[in-house]
């Protein structure tokens, strides 16, 4: 199990958190998503290496933006 943390800009409430969680969870191979609203950190657990572009696209689909990739 691999975990990767991204910084996401624009999340302001619990609804934002659930939108991002929902979209990122749909990426193949993702086993868990944890969002910290206060810091904007999104931690993605996956079976193998995660595709950063897929995460960025999913976050964008939810209406937000990945501003930092590890
Ligand atoms: Cu919100």
């Amino acid at each position: 199990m691999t975990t990767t943390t991204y910084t996401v800009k624009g999340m302001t409430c619990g609804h934002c958190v659930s939108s991002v969680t929902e979209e990122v969870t749909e990426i193949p191979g993702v086993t868990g998503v944890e969002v910290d609203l206060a810091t904007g950190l999104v931690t993605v657990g996956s079976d193998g290496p995660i595709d950063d572009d897929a995460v960025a696209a999913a976050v964008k689909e939810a209406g937000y933006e990945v501003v930092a990739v590890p």
Side-chain angles (χ1 to χ4, degrees):
M1 161 111 169
T2 309
T3 57
T4 314
T5 303
Y6 301 87
T7 303
V8 172
K9 193 176 80 178
M11 296 186 295
T12 54
C13 70
H15 174 79
C16 305
V17 170
S18 38
S19 307
V20 168
T21 303
E22 218 170 276
E23 290 293 341
V24 174
T25 301
E26 283 174 15
I27 300 168
V30 168
T31 53
V33 180
E34 233 171 83
V35 179
D36 187 322
L37 179 59
T39 57
L41 293 179
V42 176
T43 304
V44 181
S46 55
D47 287 333
I50 188 93
D51 182 354
D52 292 335
D53 290 342
V55 174
V59 167
K60 196 174 179 190
E61 185 71 29
Y64 310 98
E65 195 189 339
V66 173
V67 290
V69 174

